[in-house]
Amino acid sequence: SSVLEIGCGEGAVTERLAAAFPAAVLTGIDICAQPGRQYRGDRSRVRFLPTSAADLAATEPTRYQLVIISDVLHHVPYPEWGHFLASALDLVTEDGTLILKEWVRERTPVYLLGYLSDRLITGDRIRYPAEPELRLLAEDSFGRDAISSAFRIRPWHCNFALVISANASRKVNDRGLA
């Protein structure tokens, strides 16, 4: 199986993915200069590329059974969110899955601490979506029927993920309904 992590950063989540999918070939991409530079796992089945999802989709024919976007969307300029997600979908196999995990906007102290630390550490003009906004964006990008499940990830309520079926999304988009 093949797994792509979009926005892999320094490779921390990639290490967890490698452990969770020991038979998979993993690719991590990020627009930073040295993606995966702190990855400490076995590199024989992992590669890191300094590229965007759009550039990877345009230059490489490989498609992935699982594409994971974890805490990346808020770093993408808001007007580009739709294009970013369309590029991600282009990288998923016909019967593959895309997982979109994001820190969603809430009126909680934990959210505020996360926002401030991300804003101060990266210096990016970040924008976190609220859960309803993220759901609507996913429905607009992939189609309502493409969302197969949604869940929270402990320990923080702000950690929210959507599981997207690429096949359902493509059927909706082929009919022009998304």
Side-chain angles (χ1 to χ4, degrees):
S1 64
S2 58
V3 177
L4 171 67
E5 181 188 1
I6 298 175
C8 67
E10 297 187 347
V13 173
T14 315
E15 281 188 37
R16 291 188 177 121
L17 291 171
F21 299 98
V25 175
L26 290 97
T27 299
I29 63 170
D30 201 296
I31 59 171
C32 69
Q34 293 181 313
R37 72 182 180 93
Q38 292 184 351
Y39 178 83
R40 292 171 287 160
D42 176 9
R43 288 188 178 254
S44 67
R45 60 187 183 89
V46 178
R47 70 181 177 144
F48 293 99
L49 302 171
T51 191
S52 69
D55 288 344
L56 184 65
T59 60
E60 189 173 288
T62 303
R63 297 300 175 252
Y64 301 85
Q65 292 167 315
L66 176 61
V67 173
I68 298 173
I69 305 168
S70 180
D71 294 323
V72 174
L73 188 64
H74 60 272
H75 292 284
V76 175
Y78 177 68
E80 297 174 26
W81 282 7
H83 177 70
F84 173 76
L85 293 177
S87 295
L89 183 61
D90 286 344
L91 292 163
V92 184
T93 61
E94 184 82 18
D95 61 343
T97 301
L98 185 147
I99 298 177
L100 175 61
K101 187 266 182 204
E102 189 57 58
W103 185 260
V104 293
R105 188 172 60 241
E106 297 181 345
R107 292 181 180 255
T108 64
V110 168
Y111 164 78
L112 182 59
L113 287 172
Y115 172 84
L116 289 174
S117 66
D118 209 2
R119 178 73 173 96
L120 296 174
I121 289 170
T122 66
D124 290 351
R125 296 186 52 83
I126 57 172
R127 183 184 186 284
Y128 292 101
E131 178 187 332
E133 181 182 17
L134 185 62
R135 283 181 182 270
L136 184 59
L137 173 67
E139 288 173 2
D140 287 348
S141 298
F142 308 117
R144 180 179 295 264
D145 293 338
I147 301 172
S148 60
S149 65
F151 56 95
R152 302 278 175 180
I153 301 171
R154 294 181 180 188
W156 311 115
H157 192 263
C158 299
N159 282 321
F160 181 71
L162 296 169
V163 179
I164 311 296
S165 166
N167 192 31
S169 180
R170 286 186 177 97
K171 285 179 183 175
V172 169
N173 287 327
D174 288 346
R175 292 192 312 255
L177 301 176

